[in-house]
Amino acid sequence: MINILRKAAIAIAVSLFTLPGVAKADMPVMGPTSQPIGHYVFCQSYPAQCQANPSGNSVRFNDAVWNMLVEVNSAVNFAITARTDMEMHNVPELWSYPTTEGDCEDYALLKQHMLETAGLPRSALLITVVQQPNGEGHAVLTVRTTGGDFVLDNLDDRVLKWKETPYRYIKRQSEKHWGKWAAINDDRDMMLVGSVR
């Protein structure tokens, strides 16, 4: 899987760059909020993944970036088998990097890692907590771009803009600091109905 990303990174090295402060206004983020307990524990094991980010840059959206997002989302969704933390670790919540199996947070962490390794800025790769239509919690990866905020989801091989997903958005990592979280003001008029998956 990492080899797939290396090829993609080489292909977009010339065309990919970031621009500060020009991300299309998209997901309405409010002030600071609580860090999910699973992420807090993850930060104890991976402190380098929970530090301040060097900039608040977003990704300049282009075809190469789009292809990378689609490729990473599909590759991770295909390679990792979905299992709960209880099934894998006998605990209700444990965020970790998956190798062969994982739950939604694990998928999001691996996608975040792969895209960061490929050269996208940390400030554009944010784990996001959402509520599914059936009321259950879920985690996805939001990628901030100049073309809007896109979502990589283990329940969907499509890469969609956040407004095109069936979720209610609750909170996400801060673009300035991966160890801090910001509330999302998702005031879209939507009816939460039973999940299709």
Side-chain angles (χ1 to χ4, degrees):
M1 223 174 343
I2 297 296
N3 288 335
I4 292 171
L5 254 316
R6 287 189 182 125
K7 289 180 199 172
I10 291 168
I12 69 165
V14 174
S15 63
L16 175 67
F17 63 93
T18 60
L19 300 171
V22 296
K24 180 179 177 184
D26 216 15
M27 193 181 291
V29 178
M30 302 185 304
T33 191
S34 60
Q35 180 182 23
I37 186 65
H39 189 253
Y40 172 81
V41 174
F42 171 82
C43 288
Q44 306 310 301
S45 299
Y46 299 95
Q49 297 304 309
C50 301
Q51 297 178 355
N53 295 325
S55 72
N57 292 348
S58 61
V59 176
R60 181 177 180 188
F61 187 71
N62 56 36
D63 289 344
V65 168
W66 172 254
N67 291 335
M68 177 183 282
L69 298 183
V70 170
E71 187 172 351
V72 167
N73 195 54
S74 296
V76 173
N77 288 357
F78 178 78
I80 304 301
T81 300
R83 292 192 64 201
T84 67
D85 287 324
M86 193 59 75
E87 291 170 324
M88 294 182 294
H89 310 292
N90 205 31
V91 295
E93 190 69 16
L94 179 66
W95 293 32
S96 60
Y97 290 110
T99 53
T100 59
E101 55 190 21
D103 69 354
C104 58
E105 297 93 359
D106 305 337
Y107 282 87
L109 285 167
L110 181 56
K111 292 171 188 180
Q112 183 184 59
H113 172 73
M114 291 174 71
L115 291 169
E116 180 190 11
T117 300
L120 273 63
R122 292 167 54 102
S123 56
L125 307 171
L126 309 174
I127 308 292
T128 306
V129 174
V130 301
Q131 182 182 35
Q132 298 182 72
N134 65 6
E136 291 182 16
H138 184 49
V140 297
L141 179 67
T142 298
V143 180
R144 297 173 54 246
T145 81
T146 56
D149 291 344
F150 289 92
V151 171
L152 280 64
D153 186 358
N154 69 296
L155 298 180
D156 198 329
D157 287 334
R158 299 172 299 167
V159 174
L160 300 172
K161 287 195 173 180
W162 77 280
K163 290 182 179 181
E164 297 171 347
T165 69
Y167 305 132
R168 171 79 62 198
Y169 286 74
I170 310 298
K171 62 175 96 175
R172 75 180 189 190
Q173 286 177 296
S174 166
E175 62 196 55
K176 296 178 181 176
H177 195 297
W178 269 2
K180 298 182 179 181
W181 287 68
I184 299 168
N185 181 24
D186 187 354
D187 59 358
R188 295 172 298 151
D189 184 19
M190 60 188 292
M191 185 186 316
L192 296 177
V193 295
S195 175
V196 297
R197 294 193 128 183

